[in-house]
């Protein structure tokens, strides 16, 4: 399970790294590129935290959190793809729908109460 977890994180890190490197050709300013690196690094860290939270707690709240994180990551990648690569409105609409879906899951995450762990009841 640990090998699968590390493999999943490394593949996602590699894909986001390739995406950010491809964006460098479209940017004129190094400061803007550094901001994009920090932004995607934050998204990657939040994705890893969401995956750890999901794997440690099989609750409905953890499913909401991992879904909102994935929708935010995919919507940002689609937004950048529409802005830098293809100027297509379908990609922008899909990215915006994913972003609004992430907001709905964020609302559901904060409105869902956390259940006590079963191990707490045994002790």
């Amino acid at each position: 399970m640990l090998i699968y977890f590390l493999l999943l994180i490394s593949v996602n890190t590699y894909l986001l790294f390739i995406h950010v490197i491809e964006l460098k050709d479209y940017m004129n300013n190094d400061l803007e590129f550094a901001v994009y690196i920090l932004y995607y690094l934050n998204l990657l860290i939040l994705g890893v935290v969401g995956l750890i939270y999901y794997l440690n707690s099989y609750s409905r709240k953890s499913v909401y959190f991992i879904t909102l994180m994935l929708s935010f990551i995919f919507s940002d990648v689609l937004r950048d793809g529409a802005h830098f690569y293809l100027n297509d409105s379908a990609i922008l609409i899909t990215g915006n729908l994913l972003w609004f879906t992430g907001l709905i899951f964020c609302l559901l995450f904060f409105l869902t109460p956390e259940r006590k762990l079963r191990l707490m009841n045994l002790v």
Side-chain angles (χ1 to χ4, degrees), residues 58-74:
Y58 294 109
S59 66
R60 182 177 293 175
K61 194 168 184 170
S62 67
V63 172
Y64 290 151
F65 188 72
I66 191 72
T67 307
L68 80 91
M69 284 314 307
L70 287 175
S71 65
F72 283 155
I73 291 170
F74 286 136

Side-chain angles (χ1 to χ4, degrees), residues 10-28:
S10 63
V11 166
N12 286 325
T13 304
Y14 174 73
L15 290 175
L16 278 177
F17 177 73
I18 293 298
H19 174 69
V20 170
I21 294 300
E22 287 291 323
L23 290 180
K24 185 171 174 48
D25 296 336
Y26 296 99
M27 294 182 190
N28 298 332

Side-chain angles (χ1 to χ4, degrees), residues 46-61:
L46 284 173
V48 169
V49 167
L51 189 62
I52 290 171
Y53 179 56
Y54 172 71
L55 291 175
N56 284 331
S57 169
Y58 294 109
S59 66
R60 182 177 293 175
K61 194 168 184 170

